């Protein structure tokens, strides 16, 4: 890019880490941002506080927002081949490892913990949803060697709706699956093992934890005390509703059409 004489032909498009985090491990970017797509006016304000983001366009949410109450939790469980007689259902997002965002060590620590927890708690189903970019190999080998029958691996290419709907709550770091869970009234645990608080992507709408011991303490309470689970869920579902209101953007035009028009106008 530095050497090319045709810099105007390079168009850099940024979708900030959804929903609202403005963190970027690569802040000192050589290529300037031309177009930035955000989901609401509030989201735009968060971006302009920190970044020179070029032209910013509000598109509305491009996430799946199914909230059909007729699709019961058990329906999604049956669809995924998960028995409906467990006491608890926990969705764990197996993230795509990427330098500066999620390390292999972070992912390994979480998965090793989930395997050990599943062996101790036979009354809980642990649903693992890999990132769409997941390449089948180590994860599948790790799970195939596991002796428990309460861990269920979801196809990484499938949409996350059924995995979220089948669960009681989810564990992720900062993925957009957390916001999709909030749309479905599922509490979110954000596990930030590298302690980088810039990854607090859900503001105060999720339960943030920074080590495996604290995760174990919380899960033990939730999975063994239904009253605590209900109170905890109620608190974070209320907080998530407040956050989701900030994403409102009324438009009959598809977010993808808005993005395409902005790109077309930029290059013509």
């Amino acid at each position: 890019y530095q050497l090319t004489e045709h810099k105007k032909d390079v168009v850099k498009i940024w979708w900030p880490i959804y929903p609202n985090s403005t963190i970027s491990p690569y802040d000192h970017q050589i290529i300037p941002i031309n177009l930035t797509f955000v989901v609401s006016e509030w989201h735009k304000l968060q971006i302009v506080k920190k970044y020179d983001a070029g032209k910013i366009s509000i598109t509305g949410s491009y996430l799946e927002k199914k909230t059909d109450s007729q699709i019961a939790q058990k329906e999604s469980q049956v669809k995924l081949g998960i028995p409906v007689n467990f006491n608890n259902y926990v969705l764990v997002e197996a993230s795509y490892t990427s330098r500066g965002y999620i390390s292999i060590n972070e992912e390994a620590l979480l998965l090793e913990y989930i395997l050990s927890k599943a062996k101790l708690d036979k009354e809980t189903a642990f649903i693992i949803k890999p990132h769409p970019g997941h390449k089948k190999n180590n994860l599948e080998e790790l799970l195939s060697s596991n002796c428990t029958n309460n861990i269920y691996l979801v196809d990484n290419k499938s949409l996350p709706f059924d995995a979220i709907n089948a669960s009681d709550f989810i564990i992720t770091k900062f993925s957009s699956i957390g916001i999709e869970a909030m749309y479905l009234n599922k509490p979110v645990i954000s596990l930030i093992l590298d302690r980088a608080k810039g990854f607090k992507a859900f503001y105060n709408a999720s339960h943030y934890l920074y080590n495996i011991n604290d995760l174990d303490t919380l899960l033990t309470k939730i999975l063994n005390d239904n009253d605590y689970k209900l109170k905890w869920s109620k608190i974070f579902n209320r907080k998530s509703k407040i956050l989701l209101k900030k994403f409102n953007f009324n438009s009959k035009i598809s977010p993808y059409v808005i993005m395409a028009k902005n790109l077309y106008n930029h290059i013509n």
Side-chain angles (χ1 to χ4, degrees):
Y1 173 77
Q2 287 177 319
L3 296 176
T4 182
E5 297 179 357
H6 305 284
K7 294 183 180 181
K8 65 180 180 180
D9 295 331
V10 178
V11 180
K12 183 169 184 181
I13 301 171
W14 185 33
W15 291 5
I17 299 171
Y18 194 87
N20 49 57
S21 172
T22 57
I23 188 171
S24 172
Y26 314 109
D27 280 347
H28 304 290
Q29 299 170 352
I30 296 174
I31 307 177
I33 297 168
N34 302 112
L35 300 173
T36 297
F37 300 123
V38 297
V39 300
S40 67
E41 185 64 38
W42 176 81
H43 190 190
K44 178 179 178 179
L45 292 174
Q46 309 311 306
I47 298 300
V48 298
K49 287 178 183 178
K50 186 175 180 182
Y51 290 97
D52 181 5
K55 181 182 178 181
I56 299 178
S57 175
I58 301 174
T59 67
S61 176
Y62 42 83
L63 287 179
E64 177 185 17
K65 294 197 294 184
K66 278 189 179 179
T67 56
D68 190 343
S69 60
Q70 295 180 353
I71 303 177
Q73 183 181 32
K74 288 185 178 180
E75 289 183 56
S76 289
Q77 291 166 356
V78 171
K79 184 176 178 180
L80 295 174
I82 301 172
V84 300
N85 58 344
F86 285 103
N87 291 338
N88 302 285
Y89 295 83
V90 182
L91 175 59
V92 181
E93 189 231 356
S95 301
Y96 183 77
T97 57
S98 177
R99 184 175 65 87
Y101 290 95
I102 297 178
S103 69
I104 293 175
N105 286 341
E106 286 180 86
E107 210 42 39
L109 279 172
L110 174 58
L111 291 174
E112 286 173 5
Y113 167 73
I114 292 300
L115 288 176
S116 64
K117 191 69 172 176
K119 291 177 181 178
L120 295 173
D121 189 345
K122 302 293 187 179
E123 301 302 317
T124 296
F126 293 89
I127 307 166
I128 298 179
K129 173 68 171 74
H131 185 277
H134 165 72
K135 295 181 179 179
K136 296 182 179 181
N137 192 357
N138 295 338
L139 176 60
E140 285 72 18
E141 289 181 8
L142 182 64
L143 295 179
S144 65
S145 63
N146 175 56
C147 298
T148 65
N149 59 359
N150 57 336
I151 293 181
Y152 300 88
L153 182 63
V154 178
D155 182 3
N156 68 305
K157 298 300 183 183
S158 65
L159 292 174
F161 172 77
D162 282 307
I164 297 170
N165 196 45
S167 67
D168 298 323
F169 58 92
I170 82 161
I171 301 172
T172 183
K173 183 175 182 179
F174 63 95
S175 171
S176 59
I177 200 173
I179 288 298
E180 294 185 271
M182 291 179 189
Y183 278 123
L184 293 175
N185 216 32
K186 309 288 184 177
V188 177
I189 296 174
S190 175
L191 182 64
I192 308 176
L193 292 176
D194 61 1
R195 299 178 179 271
K197 293 187 178 181
F199 283 114
K200 293 179 70 173
F202 310 114
Y203 284 66
N204 69 340
S206 71
H207 195 141
Y208 294 102
L209 298 172
Y210 300 96
N211 60 69
I212 293 295
N213 288 338
D214 287 346
L215 175 63
D216 184 56
T217 299
L218 178 62
L219 282 190
T220 300
K221 288 181 180 178
I222 294 173
L223 301 180
N224 294 290
D225 186 339
N226 196 54
D227 288 338
Y228 180 87
K229 177 182 176 181
L230 292 174
K231 291 178 182 177
W232 175 82
S233 298
K234 185 176 181 179
I235 289 170
F236 283 98
N237 284 338
R238 184 179 69 248
K239 290 182 177 182
S240 67
K241 284 182 173 62
I242 294 172
L243 178 63
L244 293 179
K245 286 182 179 178
K246 296 180 179 180
F247 300 158
N248 288 341
F249 176 70
N250 295 321
S251 174
K252 295 181 180 179
I253 304 175
S254 162
Y256 299 103
V257 172
I258 295 175
M259 293 176 185
K261 286 183 175 179
N262 275 270
L263 178 58
Y264 179 83
N265 291 334
H266 180 80
I267 61 179
N268 287 282

